[in-house]
Amino acid sequence: MDAADRPAVVIDNGTGYTKIGFAGNVEPCFIIPTVVAVNESFSKDSRGSGKGNWLAQHNAGVMADLDFFIGDEALTRCRSSSVYNLSYPIQHGQVDNWDSMERFWQQCIFNYLRCEPEDHYFLLTESPLTPPENREYTGEIMFETFNVPGLYIGVQPVLALAAGYTTSKCEMTGVVVDVGHGATHIVPVAEGYVIGGSIKSFPIAGRDVTLFIQQLLQERGEHMPPEESFEVARRVKEMFCYTSSDILKEYGKHDREPSKYIKHWTGIKPKTGAPYNCDVGYERFLGPEIFFNPEIYSSDFNTPLPTVVDSCIQSSAIDTRRALYKNIVLSGGTTMIKDFHKRLQRDVKKIVDARTDASDARHGGDVKSKPVEVNVVSHPIQSFAVWFGGSVLACTPEFYSACHTKAEYEEYGGSICRANPVFKGMY
Amino acid sequence: MILLPSPSRFLLQILQSRLQNPEKAVELDCHSVEFDDVRYHIQFSVKNPQSMLLSVSLPTPPPEIVFFSGLPFGAIEAIKGAYGVLVQILDPPKDGYNLTMKLNLSKLPPDEEQRHALLVKIASVREVVLGAPIRIILKHLASRKVAPDLDRLVALVHRPNESFFLVPQAEKVTIVYPMRFKDSVDVVLATSFLQEFVEARRTAGLNNAPPCQWSSSPPMDLREAPPHSVTANAGFVTFVIFPRHVEGRKLDRVVWSLLTFHAYVSYHVKCSEGFMHTRMRRRVESLIQVLDRAKPEVEKPKKSSPRRSFKRLSLKDARANSNS
Ligand SMILES: Nc1ncnc2c1ncn2[C@@H]1O[C@H](COP(=O)(O)OP(=O)(O)OP(=O)(O)O)[C@@H](O)[C@H]1O
Ligand SMILES: [Mg+2]
């Protein structure tokens, strides 16, 4: 049987979470934190004392190079034993530690999917603006270590756009607002091609929301074990946060009816096992507010996300702008915050309308220009839209011809991975 | 992870999440492929949320192996034995699969521990089905008998179109694996891995482990095997299993390890390749440092965070970053 007859493996490596699964499925098989717990005592020693050290470890019954864990297991191991250190191989959407990344992939393939990498084509994803060297590194690891027969590296927002493929008529023109854990990108795509010059980054993502909530909770004097506080803040964020339409009004609502708005979090102290409580109040809407009023979080950045989305569209070719406003697609876990899409749509619409009104006024106010349709598209799978788009595309017959093959790699080397053709399936 | 575990993580996760959130009884239709071309297809309907339709497809058997109604011998009995009242085997199975079972999850035992054990057993369906013949043979070995109705040399499928061989006797069972790899680098690594493996068996602590041998040509035991099945580019591995190795609860682990020996070697070959790459990257890194030191002093470019530019990633600051 040929590898092309088996479903391709689709892996979307994110800063926060990695989504792993097979093409053709609607959901990834696994969504696990992108983290590796490594036994540092080993990698430090191994630099100097070659063989003797290996023997010592062998005799101690440890296969030291396999002494590591990924995902949730990594987090629990690290909590219960001081031998392990956590390494986050991806920072701000870019692979940053290739040793950890390779180990992470190894376990994704053999321990989670349990598949033989030689038997499947692979579709991996990368953040926009990834330097071509990284792509070459990825290719090297995939072809050399894992012997994959074919590899395609998709750009995350393009895949997110392709996620709409089955639900409606496939629209490959739109702006993707991908708000993940470590990076936010606003990427205009026209007919499947990224409009490279117009990509905008936004320095705030899910991790920042968590950090902000953690800080607010701490400042308010809520008691929780410090080593747990980031994790608690994340859970609180995912369970209770929502986007308000106006913070002043929201403060008012909370103050009038605290019992209705204040939520409670109950946890257990890891050391003593004693339960603890904390209240969650203003954090619920202040956390997500940093996308719309960044100055409350950061002193050196104050352009709101809707303004960045608008300027992104304004910087692309004039004849695509209307189509882009009409299809603003959300992707990434952080866009799951309640009512995020409503607020974004309202604020972008405000900016656009103000601009139209101003230009109408400049022209004397006799002719009214046709109002611009602003449409923020939200769908239930948006938290793993990138993965889903990959899953859909990797099922099309064109996928296999767009892949770089092992034979090509052996002929030309890693540089073939620098460019990844946009293929027919994307229209 | 040193050994491949028997239960499929994916199946177990689906089962557990079904039972934990019965209110989320959504429709589910998904598939997954494991090493050696074992495929699963899982279906849940909204109408009948407690009933799981699980189809399994096995590697295509080579010509010397006969399946009985699509399954290895003893598999049906093994399934019934393992899942009892839970299971109903559908005949014929879904198109393209060797086995389709309907599992009634409402009949799981109420006791937490027993229930978990049974879920793990369902997730280990591969071991139950493909391992059925070895289990029969080894069970007889435990009571020092030879299973009836067997040839002198038994071939069992473990990979698509490939088999491994057992010579069942009353006092011992000899097992031979022809080892084949596609990639030429893998062949070299696997060969040396296997030689080390045999070597390691000789160390003092492992006196009680099954004896094992590696040879580049087919061992005598395979005299009667069909010629196409005794070609191997990474040699032949032979284990001898004695009754003491399969006593009581050891049996399960032995069945699984024997069934997946090839996958185990293949996994470790890939791991060593990864390990070597790590070493190679470090080496390159240290050589680059030497070169850097030789350069005349120029102003160091500021490291711009968060985005690193087109400069080649250097391992040292990659590691520094990840600790920050
Ligand atoms: N329901 C939710 N409400 C709010 N935030 C959520 C929700 N679900 C997930 N998140 C957050 O989304 C982030 C993860 O999103 P995602 O998996 O898209 O990021 P990623 O792909 O790992 O990162 P990136 O794309 O930036 O590299 C986390 O910060 C997580 O806390
Ligand atoms: Mg992402």
Side-chain angles (χ1 to χ4, degrees):
Chain A
M1 189 191 281
D2 193 44
D5 298 330
R6 300 188 188 93
V9 170
V10 179
I11 304 181
D12 171 27
N13 288 115
T15 315
Y17 295 88
T18 292
K19 299 90 184 161
I20 326 165
F22 290 101
N25 282 344
V26 180
E27 282 181 42
C29 297
F30 302 98
I31 300 183
I32 56 169
T34 311
V35 58
V36 185
V38 273
N39 186 338
E40 288 290 345
S41 61
F42 154 69
S43 56
K44 278 192 206 101
D45 301 346
S46 73
R47 298 201 80 159
S49 53
K51 182 126 183 164
N53 184 52
W54 185 85
L55 256 182
Q57 274 159 351
H58 177 78
N59 292 342
V62 198
M63 298 267 252
D65 56 319
L66 293 177
D67 193 9
F68 67 93
F69 299 89
I70 68 164
D72 294 309
E73 259 173 290
L75 298 174
T76 34
R77 287 285 164 157
C78 190
R79 218 168 287 150
S80 60
S81 152
S82 59
V83 189
Y84 296 101
N85 282 337
L86 293 182
S87 153
Y88 293 86
I90 300 186
Q91 299 284 335
H92 301 285
Q94 307 286 339
V95 179
D96 175 277
N97 183 335
W98 291 97
D99 288 355
S100 300
M101 198 65 226
E102 187 168 24
R103 291 175 165 196
F104 188 82
W105 276 326
Q106 185 210 88
Q107 288 299 296
C108 284
I109 296 171
F110 290 103
N111 192 357
Y112 281 75
L113 288 180
R114 290 158 63 95
C115 70
E116 171 61 65
E118 285 175 26
D119 288 351
H120 299 265
Y121 278 64
F122 273 66
L123 186 148
L124 302 184
T125 72
E126 63 173 21
S127 160
L129 308 176
T130 299
E133 277 81 1
N134 280 23
R135 230 168 283 153
E136 228 175 275
Y137 261 37
T138 304
E140 249 170 59
I141 292 180
M142 283 293 147
F143 286 116
E144 301 264 351
T145 306
F146 299 117
N147 278 340
V148 302
L151 171 68
Y152 184 84
I153 305 174
V155 185
Q156 285 159 4
V158 179
L159 296 175
L161 204 56
Y165 198 63
T166 47
T167 45
S168 63
K169 184 168 94 6
C170 183
E171 185 64 77
M172 286 310 285
T173 298
V175 182
V176 179
V177 181
D178 184 0
V179 194
H181 183 69
T184 295
H185 293 287
I186 298 108
V187 182
V189 181
E191 319 258 285
Y193 286 92
V194 172
I195 307 174
S198 303
I199 299 177
K200 296 266 189 294
S201 300
F202 185 78
I204 294 172
R207 187 166 167 272
D208 301 283
V209 181
T210 310
L211 286 171
F212 189 54
I213 291 176
Q214 179 186 26
Q215 183 194 336
L216 289 173
L217 289 172
Q218 274 166 353
E219 277 169 8
R220 234 167 14 83
E222 291 293 342
H223 291 292
M224 60 178 98
E227 69 274 19
E228 291 268 282
S229 68
F230 186 79
E231 196 52 23
V232 171
R234 180 181 71 81
R235 300 286 299 278
V236 161
K237 171 184 80 171
E238 291 173 10
M239 284 165 73
F240 303 132
C241 272
Y242 62 90
T243 326
S244 65
S245 53
D246 180 336
I247 15 180
L248 289 181
K249 275 196 202 140
E250 216 57 38
Y251 271 117
K253 281 196 220 161
H254 275 245
D255 292 343
R256 270 193 309 278
E257 276 182 284
S259 59
K260 184 171 160 197
Y261 288 97
I262 290 180
K263 298 280 178 186
H264 302 280
W265 169 265
T266 321
I268 289 174
K269 290 186 184 162
K271 288 205 186 102
T272 58
Y276 64 90
N277 276 301
C278 69
D279 288 347
V280 189
Y282 302 146
E283 294 81 15
R284 294 183 61 201
F285 61 89
L286 285 179
E289 193 63 29
I290 63 177
F291 289 104
F292 304 96
N293 283 304
E295 64 278 4
I296 62 174
Y297 171 68
S298 143
S299 54
D300 42 40
F301 188 81
N302 55 20
T303 319
L305 179 66
T307 311
V308 180
V309 172
D310 179 69
S311 68
C312 164
I313 299 179
Q314 286 296 317
S315 71
S316 43
I318 192 155
D319 58 332
T320 56
R321 286 183 204 162
R322 271 181 192 269
L324 293 177
Y325 278 118
K326 216 162 93 183
N327 194 26
I328 301 175
V329 177
L330 297 181
S331 131
T334 304
T335 62
M336 298 294 283
I337 297 174
K338 194 167 169 287
D339 292 338
F340 187 88
H341 66 287
K342 285 192 191 153
R343 175 79 181 268
L344 186 63
Q345 163 142 351
R346 189 197 69 181
D347 287 8
V348 174
K349 180 83 178 143
K350 251 192 217 163
I351 301 171
V352 173
D353 286 349
R355 185 182 303 113
T356 339
D357 290 349
S359 96
D360 285 352
R362 265 203 310 280
H363 292 100
D366 309 333
V367 250
K368 280 256 176 263
S369 37
K370 194 170 140 231
V372 176
E373 192 185 332
V374 175
N375 209 354
V376 176
V377 185
S378 143
H379 45 81
I381 54 151
Q382 109 203 354
S383 70
F384 53 86
V386 175
W387 184 89
F388 180 69
S391 164
V392 169
L393 285 182
C395 282
T396 62
E398 293 90 347
F399 166 72
Y400 293 96
S401 44
C403 274
H404 304 296
T405 62
K406 172 110 174 131
E408 279 167 15
Y409 175 81
E410 276 163 3
E411 182 81 23
Y412 304 106
S415 61
I416 54 164
C417 298
R418 287 180 165 239
N420 286 279
V422 182
F423 54 91
K424 269 281 215 22
M426 291 192 168
Y427 295 102
Chain B
M1 183 180 75
I2 291 173
L3 296 167
L4 301 165
S6 167
S8 145
R9 197 182 265 270
F10 180 51
L11 285 179
L12 193 57
Q13 175 186 283
I14 290 183
L15 287 163
Q16 280 171 337
S17 78
R18 267 284 146 168
L19 294 170
Q20 270 158 19
N21 326 300
E23 70 283 357
K24 268 206 254 157
V26 286
E27 196 177 292
L28 186 75
D29 187 320
C30 57
H31 58 105
S32 136
V33 183
E34 272 188 6
F35 56 93
D36 299 335
D37 252 350
V38 172
R39 295 164 181 244
Y40 304 103
H41 183 182
I42 302 124
Q43 286 166 292
F44 277 100
S45 70
V46 187
K47 243 186 16 223
N48 208 345
Q50 286 293 316
S51 144
M52 171 180 183
L53 217 50
L54 173 60
S55 307
V56 184
S57 126
L58 307 176
T60 327
E64 66 268 17
I65 291 175
V66 204
F67 271 2
F68 301 89
S69 52
L71 297 171
F73 68 85
I76 301 270
E77 294 71 33
I79 294 166
K80 287 184 180 149
Y83 308 130
V85 292
L86 242 62
V87 71
Q88 184 193 342
I89 299 175
L90 301 192
D91 189 31
K94 253 181 74 84
D95 207 20
Y97 292 87
N98 296 66
L99 165 73
T100 298
M101 315 189 281
K102 196 168 174 181
L103 292 158
N104 188 342
L105 301 183
S106 60
K107 289 198 181 147
L108 279 169
D111 176 71
E112 201 55 50
E113 219 165 285
Q114 286 175 9
R115 171 185 282 246
H116 182 75
L118 202 50
L119 292 185
V120 172
K121 198 87 195 163
I122 297 175
S124 310
V125 60
R126 173 189 187 132
E127 178 188 321
V128 172
V129 175
L130 274 177
I134 317 185
R135 179 179 300 273
I136 293 174
I137 291 171
L138 295 182
K139 259 210 160 125
H140 279 87
L141 175 69
S143 46
R144 292 162 209 269
K145 283 192 290 232
V146 179
D149 310 327
L150 287 182
D151 295 332
R152 212 195 63 82
L153 182 70
V154 183
L156 295 178
V157 61
H158 62 154
R159 319 187 59 216
N161 295 307
E162 284 183 31
S163 41
F164 67 105
F165 297 90
L166 286 83
V167 184
Q169 285 166 294
E171 291 300 320
K172 62 175 190 185
V173 173
T174 310
I175 300 168
V176 186
Y177 297 90
M179 302 299 288
R180 302 182 184 96
F181 291 87
K182 271 192 237 150
D183 186 84
S184 55
V185 177
D186 287 9
V187 172
V188 176
L189 286 174
T191 310
S192 64
F193 176 89
L194 290 170
Q195 284 161 342
E196 283 277 331
F197 188 88
V198 171
E199 196 62 36
R201 162 65 184 78
R202 303 222 179 93
T203 50
L206 296 175
N207 271 337
N208 289 326
C212 94
Q213 263 174 10
W214 179 85
S215 63
S216 57
S217 56
M220 284 306 278
D221 297 300
L222 295 191
R223 278 184 310 262
E224 294 153 34
H228 72 90
S229 61
V230 291
T231 52
N233 56 13
F236 297 81
V237 180
T238 309
F239 289 102
V240 183
I241 307 285
F242 291 109
R244 66 169 191 275
H245 296 129
V246 291
E247 282 159 359
R249 301 184 59 186
K250 286 186 206 160
L251 181 67
D252 280 344
R253 272 170 47 209
V254 174
V255 167
W256 174 252
S257 307
L258 290 175
L259 194 59
T260 56
F261 180 71
H262 189 285
Y264 165 83
V265 175
S266 168
Y267 166 59
H268 283 280
V269 165
K270 291 287 185 297
C271 291
S272 14
E273 277 173 298
F275 183 61
M276 285 189 294
H277 287 165
T278 304
R279 305 285 290 234
M280 270 148 63
R281 274 195 292 268
R282 288 215 182 122
R283 186 90 185 114
V284 169
E285 182 58 28
S286 65
L287 291 175
I288 288 176
Q289 274 173 9
V290 173
L291 283 178
D292 277 350
R293 275 202 298 275
K295 269 193 212 148
E297 196 69 31
V298 277
E299 206 183 316
K300 284 220 175 91
K302 269 222 195 84
K303 205 172 68 189
S304 63
S305 162
R307 179 127 308 98
R308 31 182 66 260
S309 64
F310 285 62
K311 146 186 155 209
R312 271 232 165 197
L313 266 184
S314 100
L315 260 165
K316 195 174 79 304
D317 44 49
R319 223 170 297 121
N321 274 2
S322 68
N323 294 339
S324 63

mmCIF file of all heavy atoms in Angstrom, chain A residues 14-17 19 93 156 180-183 206-207 234 237-238 332-334 336-337 383, ligand 1:
data_model
loop_
_atom_site.group_PDB
_atom_site.id
_atom_site.type_symbol
_atom_site.label_atom_id
_atom_site.label_comp_id
_atom_site.label_asym_id
_atom_site.label_seq_id
_atom_site.Cartn_x
_atom_site.Cartn_y
_atom_site.Cartn_z
ATOM 1 N N GLY A 14 1.330 25.053 17.911
ATOM 2 C CA GLY A 14 1.119 26.422 18.372
ATOM 3 C C GLY A 14 1.997 26.726 19.564
ATOM 4 O O GLY A 14 2.572 25.814 20.171
ATOM 5 N N THR A 15 2.108 27.978 19.901
ATOM 6 C CA THR A 15 2.900 28.373 21.064
ATOM 7 C C THR A 15 2.341 27.714 22.319
ATOM 8 O O THR A 15 3.091 27.249 23.176
ATOM 9 C CB THR A 15 2.826 29.901 21.250
ATOM 10 O OG1 THR A 15 3.013 30.514 19.994
ATOM 11 C CG2 THR A 15 3.862 30.377 22.221
ATOM 12 N N GLY A 16 1.033 27.685 22.402
ATOM 13 C CA GLY A 16 0.403 27.143 23.603
ATOM 14 C C GLY A 16 0.027 25.684 23.456
ATOM 15 O O GLY A 16 0.371 24.851 24.283
ATOM 16 N N TYR A 17 -0.684 25.379 22.401
ATOM 17 C CA TYR A 17 -1.199 24.027 22.231
ATOM 18 C C TYR A 17 -0.866 23.482 20.851
ATOM 19 O O TYR A 17 -0.881 24.215 19.871
ATOM 20 C CB TYR A 17 -2.726 24.003 22.407
ATOM 21 C CG TYR A 17 -3.145 24.350 23.797
ATOM 22 C CD1 TYR A 17 -3.352 25.667 24.173
ATOM 23 C CD2 TYR A 17 -3.303 23.354 24.748
ATOM 24 C CE1 TYR A 17 -3.718 25.988 25.477
ATOM 25 C CE2 TYR A 17 -3.672 23.665 26.046
ATOM 26 C CZ TYR A 17 -3.873 24.985 26.404
ATOM 27 O OH TYR A 17 -4.235 25.291 27.683
ATOM 28 N N LYS A 19 -2.061 20.739 18.026
ATOM 29 C CA LYS A 19 -3.207 19.935 17.630
ATOM 30 C C LYS A 19 -2.694 18.859 16.691
ATOM 31 O O LYS A 19 -2.054 19.166 15.686
ATOM 32 C CB LYS A 19 -4.262 20.781 16.923
ATOM 33 C CG LYS A 19 -4.845 21.902 17.769
ATOM 34 C CD LYS A 19 -4.055 23.167 17.605
ATOM 35 C CE LYS A 19 -4.482 24.319 18.478
ATOM 36 N NZ LYS A 19 -3.384 25.313 18.576
ATOM 37 N N GLY A 93 5.044 31.829 18.366
ATOM 38 C CA GLY A 93 4.718 31.215 17.083
ATOM 39 C C GLY A 93 5.905 30.642 16.319
ATOM 40 O O GLY A 93 5.711 30.007 15.298
ATOM 41 N N GLN A 156 -0.426 29.139 8.693
ATOM 42 C CA GLN A 156 -1.581 28.966 9.581
ATOM 43 C C GLN A 156 -2.830 29.728 9.148
ATOM 44 O O GLN A 156 -3.894 29.137 9.018
ATOM 45 C CB GLN A 156 -1.190 29.297 11.020
ATOM 46 C CG GLN A 156 -0.348 28.186 11.626
ATOM 47 C CD GLN A 156 0.464 28.637 12.806
ATOM 48 O OE1 GLN A 156 0.368 29.773 13.252
ATOM 49 N NE2 GLN A 156 1.291 27.745 13.324
ATOM 50 N N GLY A 180 -3.801 33.457 18.941
ATOM 51 C CA GLY A 180 -3.487 32.195 19.604
ATOM 52 C C GLY A 180 -3.012 32.456 21.017
ATOM 53 O O GLY A 180 -3.545 33.310 21.721
ATOM 54 N N HIS A 181 -1.985 31.718 21.403
ATOM 55 C CA HIS A 181 -1.473 31.845 22.759
ATOM 56 C C HIS A 181 -0.304 32.825 22.810
ATOM 57 O O HIS A 181 -0.208 33.643 23.713
ATOM 58 C CB HIS A 181 -1.006 30.471 23.246
ATOM 59 C CG HIS A 181 -0.534 30.478 24.653
ATOM 60 N ND1 HIS A 181 -1.386 30.658 25.705
ATOM 61 C CD2 HIS A 181 0.712 30.344 25.187
ATOM 62 C CE1 HIS A 181 -0.684 30.621 26.833
ATOM 63 N NE2 HIS A 181 0.581 30.436 26.540
ATOM 64 N N GLY A 182 0.550 32.745 21.798
ATOM 65 C CA GLY A 182 1.762 33.554 21.871
ATOM 66 C C GLY A 182 1.903 34.567 20.761
ATOM 67 O O GLY A 182 2.877 35.313 20.723
ATOM 68 N N ALA A 183 0.976 34.583 19.827
ATOM 69 C CA ALA A 183 1.139 35.520 18.720
ATOM 70 C C ALA A 183 -0.221 35.837 18.127
ATOM 71 O O ALA A 183 -1.100 34.986 18.078
ATOM 72 C CB ALA A 183 2.034 34.907 17.641
ATOM 73 N N GLY A 206 -3.218 35.340 23.752
ATOM 74 C CA GLY A 206 -3.851 34.675 24.897
ATOM 75 C C GLY A 206 -3.002 34.668 26.152
ATOM 76 O O GLY A 206 -3.502 34.826 27.269
ATOM 77 N N ARG A 207 -1.714 34.504 25.976
ATOM 78 C CA ARG A 207 -0.815 34.460 27.118
ATOM 79 C C ARG A 207 -0.860 35.779 27.892
ATOM 80 O O ARG A 207 -0.813 35.800 29.123
ATOM 81 C CB ARG A 207 0.590 34.194 26.592
ATOM 82 C CG ARG A 207 1.603 33.961 27.645
ATOM 83 C CD ARG A 207 2.870 33.373 27.041
ATOM 84 N NE ARG A 207 3.918 33.469 28.048
ATOM 85 C CZ ARG A 207 4.690 34.530 28.196
ATOM 86 N NH1 ARG A 207 4.553 35.558 27.377
ATOM 87 N NH2 ARG A 207 5.597 34.563 29.147
ATOM 88 N N ARG A 234 -5.424 31.090 33.872
ATOM 89 C CA ARG A 234 -5.810 30.570 32.555
ATOM 90 C C ARG A 234 -7.198 29.931 32.606
ATOM 91 O O ARG A 234 -8.058 30.191 31.766
ATOM 92 C CB ARG A 234 -4.794 29.530 32.075
ATOM 93 C CG ARG A 234 -5.129 28.955 30.705
ATOM 94 C CD ARG A 234 -4.126 27.911 30.264
ATOM 95 N NE ARG A 234 -4.231 26.672 31.039
ATOM 96 C CZ ARG A 234 -5.126 25.717 30.804
ATOM 97 N NH1 ARG A 234 -5.979 25.837 29.823
ATOM 98 N NH2 ARG A 234 -5.163 24.618 31.552
ATOM 99 N N LYS A 237 -9.819 32.498 32.941
ATOM 100 C CA LYS A 237 -10.005 33.162 31.654
ATOM 101 C C LYS A 237 -10.905 32.335 30.748
ATOM 102 O O LYS A 237 -11.880 32.834 30.190
ATOM 103 C CB LYS A 237 -8.638 33.361 30.996
ATOM 104 C CG LYS A 237 -8.716 33.849 29.569
ATOM 105 C CD LYS A 237 -7.341 33.934 28.935
ATOM 106 C CE LYS A 237 -6.859 32.562 28.471
ATOM 107 N NZ LYS A 237 -5.633 32.635 27.656
ATOM 108 N N GLU A 238 -10.566 31.058 30.628
ATOM 109 C CA GLU A 238 -11.308 30.226 29.677
ATOM 110 C C GLU A 238 -12.750 29.994 30.125
ATOM 111 O O GLU A 238 -13.638 29.833 29.295
ATOM 112 C CB GLU A 238 -10.572 28.898 29.447
ATOM 113 C CG GLU A 238 -9.269 29.127 28.689
ATOM 114 C CD GLU A 238 -8.405 27.887 28.570
ATOM 115 O OE1 GLU A 238 -8.882 26.785 28.910
ATOM 116 O OE2 GLU A 238 -7.239 28.026 28.141
ATOM 117 N N GLY A 332 -8.070 30.656 16.243
ATOM 118 C CA GLY A 332 -7.261 30.642 17.455
ATOM 119 C C GLY A 332 -8.111 30.593 18.715
ATOM 120 O O GLY A 332 -9.227 31.115 18.746
ATOM 121 N N GLY A 333 -7.572 29.959 19.739
ATOM 122 C CA GLY A 333 -8.313 29.736 20.978
ATOM 123 C C GLY A 333 -8.824 31.004 21.641
ATOM 124 O O GLY A 333 -9.915 31.028 22.209
ATOM 125 N N THR A 334 -8.037 32.064 21.553
ATOM 126 C CA THR A 334 -8.414 33.276 22.281
ATOM 127 C C THR A 334 -9.649 33.947 21.686
ATOM 128 O O THR A 334 -10.370 34.657 22.380
ATOM 129 C CB THR A 334 -7.210 34.230 22.327
ATOM 130 O OG1 THR A 334 -6.124 33.513 22.912
ATOM 131 C CG2 THR A 334 -7.480 35.460 23.143
ATOM 132 N N MET A 336 -12.231 32.552 21.134
ATOM 133 C CA MET A 336 -13.393 31.857 21.701
ATOM 134 C C MET A 336 -14.014 32.658 22.844
ATOM 135 O O MET A 336 -15.096 32.316 23.322
ATOM 136 C CB MET A 336 -12.988 30.491 22.253
ATOM 137 C CG MET A 336 -12.433 29.538 21.243
ATOM 138 S SD MET A 336 -13.665 29.077 20.048
ATOM 139 C CE MET A 336 -14.611 27.910 21.016
ATOM 140 N N ILE A 337 -13.312 33.679 23.327
ATOM 141 C CA ILE A 337 -13.872 34.499 24.408
ATOM 142 C C ILE A 337 -15.245 34.988 23.976
ATOM 143 O O ILE A 337 -15.426 35.439 22.846
ATOM 144 C CB ILE A 337 -12.951 35.702 24.697
ATOM 145 C CG1 ILE A 337 -11.597 35.212 25.192
ATOM 146 C CG2 ILE A 337 -13.600 36.620 25.723
ATOM 147 C CD1 ILE A 337 -10.591 36.315 25.353
ATOM 148 N N SER A 383 -11.472 27.443 17.378
ATOM 149 C CA SER A 383 -10.292 27.277 18.223
ATOM 150 C C SER A 383 -9.257 26.348 17.580
ATOM 151 O O SER A 383 -8.084 26.414 17.910
ATOM 152 C CB SER A 383 -10.683 26.777 19.601
ATOM 153 O OG SER A 383 -11.125 25.455 19.523
HETATM 154 N N1 LIG C 1 -12.762 29.417 25.675
HETATM 155 C C1 LIG C 1 -11.663 30.164 25.714
HETATM 156 N N2 LIG C 1 -11.721 31.431 26.144
HETATM 157 C C2 LIG C 1 -10.613 32.181 26.201
HETATM 158 N N3 LIG C 1 -9.402 31.772 25.870
HETATM 159 C C3 LIG C 1 -9.274 30.514 25.428
HETATM 160 C C4 LIG C 1 -10.386 29.643 25.331
HETATM 161 N N4 LIG C 1 -9.957 28.449 24.865
HETATM 162 C C5 LIG C 1 -8.627 28.578 24.684
HETATM 163 N N5 LIG C 1 -8.205 29.808 25.019
HETATM 164 C C6 LIG C 1 -6.833 30.327 24.980
HETATM 165 O O1 LIG C 1 -6.358 30.249 23.664
HETATM 166 C C7 LIG C 1 -4.946 30.072 23.688
HETATM 167 C C8 LIG C 1 -4.606 28.893 22.821
HETATM 168 O O2 LIG C 1 -5.035 29.164 21.527
HETATM 169 P P1 LIG C 1 -4.403 28.406 20.289
HETATM 170 O O3 LIG C 1 -4.379 26.957 20.570
HETATM 171 O O4 LIG C 1 -5.093 28.887 19.091
HETATM 172 O O5 LIG C 1 -2.954 29.002 20.339
HETATM 173 P P2 LIG C 1 -1.639 28.397 19.701
HETATM 174 O O6 LIG C 1 -1.956 27.912 18.334
HETATM 175 O O7 LIG C 1 -1.085 27.436 20.671
HETATM 176 O O8 LIG C 1 -0.682 29.648 19.687
HETATM 177 P P3 LIG C 1 -0.111 30.489 18.454
HETATM 178 O O9 LIG C 1 -1.068 30.333 17.320
HETATM 179 O O10 LIG C 1 -0.067 31.869 19.013
HETATM 180 O O11 LIG C 1 1.230 29.960 18.205
HETATM 181 C C9 LIG C 1 -4.553 29.848 25.110
HETATM 182 O O12 LIG C 1 -4.004 31.031 25.617
HETATM 183 C C10 LIG C 1 -5.866 29.505 25.781
HETATM 184 O O13 LIG C 1 -5.849 29.885 27.132
#
